[in-house]
Amino acid sequence: MSATHDQHGDPITTVLTWQVRPGHETEFEEWTRGITRCARQFPGNEGVSWLQPEEGNLFHAVLRFADARRLTEWLASPERAKWHARIEDIAREVSSERQSTTGMETWFSLPGTAVQSPARWKMVLTTFLGAYPCTLLIQWLVTPRTAAWPLPLRAAVFPILLLPLLTYVIMPRLSRLFRLWLYPTPDA
């Protein structure tokens, strides 16, 4: 799906968690189809996905919006309020489970937890610690061998090597290594 992004902010993804009363799962699933159609028509919406549990009564909605302002407008909209009024006796949103990301936070996610993303300055510093050694190695080992290549091809080598390495190897390890610093406990 192609989307135009608002100049006032970055795209944002939010996960909303719903607790459904036992025995009302079918009603809730019907409701999800209706509110999804409504949300998709809302300005700035870039998609809605529902994750259904294998067992239990938690359902997760993944909402993608062009920016935080449009997400906030949807969350406070009369349209959404009307849909919520329809399921007051069927399900409730578990507000403590709400999570939002704007991009790099996924490098810093902790599977199976509902912790908030680290401060952006911590993400920048940790990313620098991961990217700098890779950049140095690429410049030392790869750049001299590609000097005769056309500029667009040489420029493509760097992100082709760096991004998968950061995403799949380095950032998950740095996130675990610096876990206590990135995600301090409330009493720390």
Side-chain angles (χ1 to χ4, degrees), residues 21-63:
R21 286 184 46 210
H24 293 275
E25 294 84 354
T26 303
E27 293 170 82
F28 184 77
E29 289 174 14
E30 289 174 18
W31 176 84
T32 64
R33 289 188 283 279
I35 194 169
T36 297
R37 282 190 301 274
C38 182
R40 286 185 176 150
Q41 296 173 3
F42 204 81
N45 182 277
E46 295 183 348
V48 178
S49 302
W50 284 90
L51 306 174
Q52 298 177 353
E54 290 180 21
E55 48 184 83
N57 295 78
L58 290 179
F59 287 72
H60 307 281
V62 181
L63 288 85

Side-chain angles (χ1 to χ4, degrees), residues 122-135 166 171 174:
K122 288 183 177 183
M123 289 191 292
V124 168
L125 186 57
T126 306
T127 304
F128 175 81
L129 291 173
Y132 181 74
C134 292
T135 302
L166 282 174
M171 294 312 294
L174 284 178

Side-chain angles (χ1 to χ4, degrees), residues 2 9 13 22 78 91 118 153:
S2 174
T13 300
L153 192 55

Side-chain angles (χ1 to χ4, degrees), residues 7-108:
Q7 294 178 347
H8 301 296
D10 295 325
I12 187 166
T13 300
T14 293
V15 178
L16 307 176
T17 300
W18 289 86
Q19 177 73 48
V20 180
R21 286 184 46 210
H24 293 275
E25 294 84 354
T26 303
E27 293 170 82
F28 184 77
E29 289 174 14
E30 289 174 18
W31 176 84
T32 64
R33 289 188 283 279
I35 194 169
T36 297
R37 282 190 301 274
C38 182
R40 286 185 176 150
Q41 296 173 3
F42 204 81
N45 182 277
E46 295 183 348
V48 178
S49 302
W50 284 90
L51 306 174
Q52 298 177 353
E54 290 180 21
E55 48 184 83
N57 295 78
L58 290 179
F59 287 72
H60 307 281
V62 181
L63 288 85
R64 291 172 302 282
F65 275 81
D67 56 59
R69 177 183 56 84
R70 290 185 178 159
L71 171 63
T72 301
E73 288 172 357
W74 163 251
L75 294 174
S77 72
E79 296 94 328
R80 182 174 185 264
K82 286 178 188 174
W83 278 98
H84 281 229
R86 295 180 183 185
I87 60 159
E88 286 179 351
D89 297 330
I90 296 172
R92 67 178 179 83
E93 183 182 349
V94 184
S95 60
S96 63
E97 296 290 322
R98 186 178 288 183
Q99 302 174 37
S100 298
T101 64
T102 57
M104 277 192 352
E105 294 93 335
T106 56
W107 275 352
F108 298 91

